[in-house]
């Protein structure tokens, strides 16, 4: 399985028991959707390796307690510490209306109500307090906060995100 065909599910953050159980921090707003998985891909030294799940359950609502098949000791569990977990893209639930996954909108055009066509989304920066659209406008990067108040419509069919940004925000990036 290639990483491009998968989405990041979470990361193993600590051992739970001496029997090889692990706790994974899931990168989702709905961890209960992933409580009954049969398998996941574990990133081991850059390769995605399938691991079958013997049992799993939510732990303190935000962590997933996992027992993998053939991981039966603390030593086995140690080898998986801090490893990232991935699932194939088709495991992502369908989102409705104006909701979207970050990977889905790469390549979408951004249209601002006042400004017009801003450019093409090249990615999403989610390392800041508020996620940002990364937009390419003829070689110039423009960052627009992914704020519900700014996003007026997501047109998935035509791959356009309509925004209404505060006056002057886009111009800040274009002034020489």
């Amino acid at each position: 399985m290639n990483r491009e065909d998968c989405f990041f599910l979470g990361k193993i953050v600590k051992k739970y028991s001496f029997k090889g159980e692990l706790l994974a921090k899931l990168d989702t707003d709905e961890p209960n959707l992933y409580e009954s998985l049969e398998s996941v891909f574990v990133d081991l030294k850059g390769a995605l390796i399938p691991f079958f799940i013997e049992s799993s359950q939510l732990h303190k609502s935000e962590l997933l307690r996992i027992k993998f098949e053939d991981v039966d000791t603390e030593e086995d569990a140690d080898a998986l510490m801090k490893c990232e977990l991935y699932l194939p893209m088709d495991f992502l639930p369908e989102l409705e209306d104006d909701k979207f996954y970050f990977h889905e909108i790469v390549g979408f055009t951004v249209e601002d109500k006042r400004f017009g066509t801003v450019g093409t989304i090249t990615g999403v920066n989610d390392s800041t307090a508020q996620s940002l659209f990364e937009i390419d406008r003829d070689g110039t990067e423009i960052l627009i906060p992914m704020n519900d108040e700014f996003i007026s419509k997501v047109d998935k069919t035509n791959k356009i995100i309509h925004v209404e940004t505060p006056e002057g925000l886009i111009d800040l990036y274009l002034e020489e």
Side-chain angles (χ1 to χ4, degrees):
M1 180 70 59
N2 294 324
R3 192 177 313 271
E4 298 79 43
D5 301 326
C6 295
F7 68 95
F8 175 73
L9 177 64
K11 187 174 189 172
I12 296 172
V13 292
K14 62 180 161 181
K15 293 181 286 188
Y16 183 75
S17 72
F18 61 89
K19 296 178 184 171
E21 289 179 295
L22 295 156
L23 291 176
K25 173 88 171 98
L26 300 183
D27 184 32
T28 177
D29 295 335
E30 298 182 55
N32 56 320
L33 292 176
Y34 304 100
E35 193 172 11
S36 303
L37 295 171
E38 292 178 14
S39 64
V40 294
F41 288 99
V42 177
D43 184 338
L44 283 176
K45 299 181 178 132
L48 293 184
I49 309 297
F51 273 72
F52 292 94
I53 298 172
E54 205 172 281
S55 64
S56 65
Q57 68 185 60
L58 286 178
H59 179 76
K60 296 184 180 173
S61 78
E62 62 186 35
L63 297 172
L64 186 65
R65 180 174 148 193
I66 304 174
K67 172 66 177 86
F68 290 119
E69 287 181 10
D70 301 323
V71 176
D72 300 314
T73 65
E74 276 193 82
E75 292 74 28
D76 293 342
D78 279 335
L80 299 174
M81 286 302 299
K82 306 231 185 303
C83 286
E84 294 180 344
L85 305 176
Y86 291 86
L87 283 174
M89 288 291 191
D90 54 3
F91 276 71
L92 281 174
E94 277 293 313
L95 295 179
E96 54 203 57
D97 304 331
D98 285 356
K99 295 188 182 336
F100 52 83
Y101 294 110
F102 291 172
H103 71 271
E104 272 186 302
I105 59 167
V106 172
F108 276 38
T109 300
V110 176
E111 294 277 340
D112 183 74
K113 185 175 180 179
R114 281 189 278 280
F115 186 86
T117 302
V118 180
T120 304
I121 296 175
T122 57
V124 173
N125 179 339
D126 63 351
S127 64
T128 58
Q130 182 170 30
S131 298
L132 303 166
F133 289 120
E134 295 174 338
I135 302 164
D136 175 60
R137 180 180 175 83
D138 304 321
T140 300
E141 184 180 58
I142 296 173
L143 302 174
I144 295 178
M146 293 175 63
N147 184 321
D148 287 343
E149 293 176 22
F150 294 173
I151 301 170
S152 51
K153 182 179 180 215
V154 177
D155 180 351
K156 291 182 183 178
T157 307
N158 296 307
K159 297 188 171 199
I160 299 171
I161 295 183
H162 298 273
V163 296
E164 189 172 343
T165 59
E167 195 169 338
L169 176 70
I170 296 166
D171 296 324
L172 288 173
Y173 293 95
L174 303 176
E175 293 172 357
E176 303 268 330

